[in-house]
């Protein structure tokens, strides 16, 4: 090497300084992800995960993130959807690469729907939110992050999956709990989360109410029934996860009000204690998905985020949702898997009860029906 050629190379000290700066930036990124609940591994695109060494995966990750044109989006969803998205995301990433010739990194964050909603409002930069109920999505809308009318921006009014309420009992169902009416019988101990703090528990409450009000009864009869049921509630935890822990880990209660998709997934996984009944009169638990407008416009990710949402309604994605216990909204897939799900003779929606704004004010606001029921228990 000539002296003239050697002058073209950076000094060794300069190279070390740049490497140190790069490592520092990676460490800071890792710390930020941990604070927001996003694991460092979520930066690795799903399609790039192989059986190679961790070092190779990290190298691949660094190469992709540093490549010009690589897109990166964040999905924020509620906990029980994780098993489905682990299968759906790789399919979409591969599709995007094939159609656009562009690498895609999908970060994922899972947790309770209410806590995920607060995280997005507080600054977690979600591109797409898939939450347990439209009320949570509307809170993000009210915070100015999602434009009004988001329900019209995706197929099926933005509802990407459905479920119903299940009655999960002890092995052998010793109390013979099979219908909604059984929950009001003396001596039955019920576990359900608190609808004041849990989105899932609101579905439970509305299922109880509708089992009378949308099945030939009037509102007075519905109020009397639900009041009696809550007299039988032995444990009222703050969220669905604590309710499950109380029932299974602590052995409290005779019956747990739960999502059908959760109990079906548990049964598929061979859990011996998965004993449940699906009442034939039930509420349609509608789970929405939406693009977070303010974030995608700032990050330049609108096109890929909208494409991802659209993909969730395809037969490919809907089949993955069905495999983990969700009732698909795609008509073709719904017909394919109809024998996997118990038949519902009377299915009603939140819309049939007046819509979320009306339901929230009527049942769950301070001083509303649920508070009055609770005050009668004390």
């Amino acid at each position: 090497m000539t002296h003239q050629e050697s002058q073209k190379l950076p000094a060794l000290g300069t190279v070390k300084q740049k490497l140190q700066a790069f490592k520092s930036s990676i460490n800071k990124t890792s710390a930020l992800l941990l604070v927001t609940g996003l694991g460092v591994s979520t930066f690795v695109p799903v399609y790039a995960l192989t059986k190679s060494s961790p070092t190779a995966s990290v190298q691949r990750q660094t190469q992709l993130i540093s490549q010009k044109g690589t897109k990166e989006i964040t999905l924020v969803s509620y906990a029980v959807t994780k098993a489905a998205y682990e299968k759906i995301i790789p399919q979409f990433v591969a599709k995007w690469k094939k159609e656009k010739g562009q690498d895609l990194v999908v970060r994922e964050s899972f947790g309770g729907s209410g806590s995920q909603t607060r995280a997005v409002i507080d600054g977690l930069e979600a591109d797409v939110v898939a939450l347990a109920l439209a009320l949570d999505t509307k809170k993000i809308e009210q915070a100015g992050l999602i434009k009004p009318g988001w329900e019209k921006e995706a197929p099926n009014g933005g509802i990407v999956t459905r479920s119903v309420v299940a009655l999960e009992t002890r092995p052998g169902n010793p109390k013979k709990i099979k219908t909604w009416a059984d929950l009001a019988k003396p001596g039955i101990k019920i576990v359900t989360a608190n609808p004041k703090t849990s989105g899932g528990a609101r579905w439970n409450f509305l299922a109880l109410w509708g089992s009378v009000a949308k099945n030939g009864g009037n509102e007075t009869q519905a109020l009397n029934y639900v009041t009696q049921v809550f007299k039988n509630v032995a444990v009222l935890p703050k969220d669905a996860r604590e309710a499950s822990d109380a029932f299974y880990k602590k052995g409290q209660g005779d019956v747990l009000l739960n999502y059908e998709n959760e109990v079906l997934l548990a049964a598929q996984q061979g859990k011996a204690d998965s004993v449940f009944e699906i009442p034939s009169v039930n509420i349609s638990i509608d789970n929405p998905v939406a693009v977070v407008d303010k974030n995608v416009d700032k990050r330049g990710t609108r096109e890929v985020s909208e494409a991802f949402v659209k993909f969730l309604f395809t037969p490919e994605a809907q089949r993955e949702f069905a495999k983990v216990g969700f009732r698909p909204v795609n008509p073709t897939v719904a017909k394919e898997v109809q024998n996997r799900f118990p038949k519902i003779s009377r299915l009603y929606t939140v819309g049939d009860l007046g819509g979320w704004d009306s339901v929230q004010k009527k049942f769950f606001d301070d001083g509303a029906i649920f508070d009055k029921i609770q005050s009668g228990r004390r």
Side-chain angles (χ1 to χ4, degrees), residues 189-208:
K189 296 179 180 179
I190 301 166
V191 177
T192 180
N194 190 332
K196 295 282 284 188
T197 56
S198 166
R202 288 177 190 161
W203 288 118
N204 294 345
F205 184 97
L206 296 176
L208 293 167

Side-chain angles (χ1 to χ4, degrees), residues 212-223:
V212 176
K214 293 299 172 184
N215 194 33
N218 58 40
E219 295 225 329
T220 299
Q221 291 170 324
L223 177 60

Side-chain angles (χ1 to χ4, degrees), residues 19 48 93 96 119 133 135 152 163 170 181 250 267 274 279 325 329 349 356:
L19 285 172
V93 168
W96 184 260
L133 64 167
L135 189 64
K152 300 176 183 178
S163 192
R170 298 297 177 190
K250 298 180 181 178
S274 296
V329 298
T349 68
W356 275 114

Side-chain angles (χ1 to χ4, degrees), residues 276-291:
F276 58 91
E277 297 286 339
I278 307 293
S280 61
V281 176
N282 222 307
I283 191 165
S284 180
I285 298 176
D286 295 340
N287 313 126
V289 63
V291 169

